[in-house]
Amino acid sequence: MFYRTDMKLDPFQRYMAYHSRRDLLRGTGAIAGSTSIITLSGCTSLTGGSSNSVTVSSKRFAEQEILGYMAIEALNAKDSVSANDETGLGGTLQNFQAIDNQQVDLYWEYTGTAWYTIPPEHEETINDPEELYEQVKQEFREEHNLRFLDRAPLNNAFVLMANPDWVEETGVRSLTDFAEYVNAGNTDFDLALTAEFLDRSDGWEGVANHYGFSEQLGAIESNINQVGIGLSYQIVGQNEAQVGLGFNTNPNIPRYDLAVLDDDQAFFPVYNPAPLVHSDTLEASPGIEEALNPIVPDLTTAKIRELNKRVSIDEEDAQDVANDYLSSNDLI
């Protein structure tokens, strides 16, 4: 079943209807099999530039560009380090290849992406944020000569979100509540899910198995609308579906006053971002850690949603938003 709508969408929603964050994270293909060439305009490689010149890249969506500019602004505020701007470089593929080849020196990577997507790629799920961070931190240092700095507490993971009126009516506030509600025979509601999420073993079927409502999947199937993830926020917000799939830091969650159902049994993988820096760069410019680590402790999910909204919905400049955040919090 495909969801039909004639709702007028703003530019952000039209874009996100066709481009999910996972699409951008994956770049144009599998990392291990790619032979793509990265061209960086104005990029000073580690071997070709001065030791205190640091090239910062990012992926091509608002949150990543904000984080990238936070790094740039914080580094430029240090007398000992200067930053070159390569934000918006590409997806995970392009950014990882660039830092691995020392064409860039630093970008923010998510712990979940590092664990599940970048070689050697793992299928084992680690739900504890600190354990996952320590695992990727050790592995990237040993396997790639790359260093993760401190991680931020914000978590850009998959979430199931619900219309607030439906939550108030049903009392469903967590995925355990959801499973109990469905297992009690309550299947007369609509869902907005992506085709990918429906097909993945760690997607809809995995949620059902983990929370114990898999026997009800047949009863729910006819109520599922397959939509682009960028549309699900508006559809659930307007109560045309009561439950939908989203990304936890998307600014449309507060925009539509959506309720994120608590993943109280820790099914979904964690996606905490942290600056990923080439080890040689840190040795040449030790001031990087001093500049960047203070940024992360207060970067919560709620805070990054606000910043994402300013860029994605209010159409403010990502660098201005990053600079304002750092200035307002006495970080530069």
Side-chain angles (χ1 to χ4, degrees):
M1 180 187 300
F2 290 87
Y3 190 87
R4 299 176 57 195
T5 178
D6 57 2
M7 294 179 290
K8 184 177 180 180
L9 305 177
D10 61 35
F12 171 78
Q13 291 168 311
R14 285 198 300 271
Y15 177 81
M16 287 304 294
Y18 297 98
H19 300 275
S20 75
R21 180 175 70 90
R22 293 292 189 270
D23 294 331
L24 294 170
L25 291 180
R26 287 180 176 141
T28 57
I31 292 173
S34 173
T35 57
S36 64
I37 298 174
I38 303 168
T39 302
L40 303 179
S41 59
C43 174
T44 303
S45 70
L46 184 66
T47 56
S50 61
S51 62
N52 66 344
S53 180
V54 178
T55 299
V56 179
S57 65
S58 79
K59 305 177 192 185
R60 289 190 191 133
F61 56 95
E63 180 172 301
Q64 272 276 307
E65 292 180 359
I66 293 167
L67 293 172
Y69 279 119
M70 283 186 185
I72 288 172
E73 295 295 303
L75 291 171
N76 282 336
K78 299 283 293 182
D79 293 335
S80 59
V81 185
S82 64
N84 302 316
D85 181 1
E86 286 293 342
T87 54
L89 177 64
T92 295
L93 167 64
Q94 287 83 3
N95 282 275
F96 176 74
Q97 284 187 330
I99 196 171
D100 196 41
N101 295 329
Q102 294 184 268
Q103 293 174 291
V104 304
D105 301 300
L106 183 157
Y107 79 98
W108 292 71
E109 188 54 274
Y110 297 91
T111 53
T113 304
W115 183 249
Y116 299 106
T117 304
I118 296 174
E121 301 178 40
H122 302 277
E123 294 186 0
E124 173 195 359
T125 298
I126 300 177
N127 296 110
D128 179 78
E130 184 62 23
E131 180 184 353
L132 178 59
Y133 168 70
E134 291 298 334
Q135 287 276 10
V136 297
K137 184 177 179 180
Q138 178 181 346
E139 185 171 274
F140 270 60
R141 189 166 187 172
E142 295 175 353
E143 297 276 342
H144 305 297
N145 198 30
L146 301 174
R147 293 273 302 278
F148 272 107
L149 303 187
D150 291 354
R151 67 181 175 91
L154 74 89
N155 182 16
N156 196 0
F158 274 133
V159 292
L160 287 176
M161 54 198 184
N163 180 275
D165 294 335
W166 185 81
V167 169
E168 188 66 27
E169 175 187 337
T170 62
V172 173
R173 290 179 169 80
S174 69
L175 291 181
T176 294
D177 293 341
F178 180 81
E180 292 175 354
Y181 181 78
V182 170
N183 285 332
N186 300 299
T187 58
D188 187 19
F189 61 93
D190 291 321
L191 300 98
L193 306 175
T194 66
E196 179 191 7
F197 189 69
L198 290 169
D199 289 339
R200 292 166 56 129
S201 60
D202 62 342
W204 179 236
E205 184 178 339
V207 173
N209 289 332
H210 189 81
Y211 279 92
F213 63 92
S214 57
E215 292 184 4
Q216 302 299 324
L217 289 181
I220 298 174
E221 184 177 3
S222 62
N223 301 337
I224 294 175
N225 304 286
Q226 293 185 26
V227 303
I229 198 164
L231 286 175
S232 60
Y233 307 95
Q234 183 172 346
I235 292 169
V236 176
Q238 295 182 345
N239 208 27
E240 296 182 23
Q242 287 67 58
V243 177
L245 180 70
F247 291 122
N248 198 29
T249 62
N250 192 287
N252 281 304
I253 290 176
R255 182 186 191 183
Y256 292 108
D257 195 29
L258 303 177
V260 173
L261 300 183
D262 182 23
D263 183 16
D264 53 327
Q265 296 181 34
F267 171 75
F268 290 115
V270 178
Y271 286 83
N272 298 140
L276 182 63
V277 191
H278 202 282
S279 296
D280 294 346
T281 305
L282 280 179
E283 291 180 10
S285 302
I288 293 174
E289 287 189 82
E290 182 183 347
L292 300 189
N293 281 341
I295 297 175
V296 300
D298 295 325
L299 277 178
T300 63
T301 297
K303 177 56 67 176
I304 201 68
R305 282 179 187 164
E306 294 175 12
L307 302 180
N308 288 342
K309 175 182 180 295
R310 290 176 60 181
V311 175
S312 298
I313 297 175
D314 300 338
E315 299 183 351
E316 294 185 47
D317 180 75
Q319 188 166 11
D320 291 342
V321 169
N323 184 280
D324 179 59
Y325 175 81
L326 296 178
S327 299
S328 300
N329 290 277
D330 297 322
L331 293 167
I332 57 173

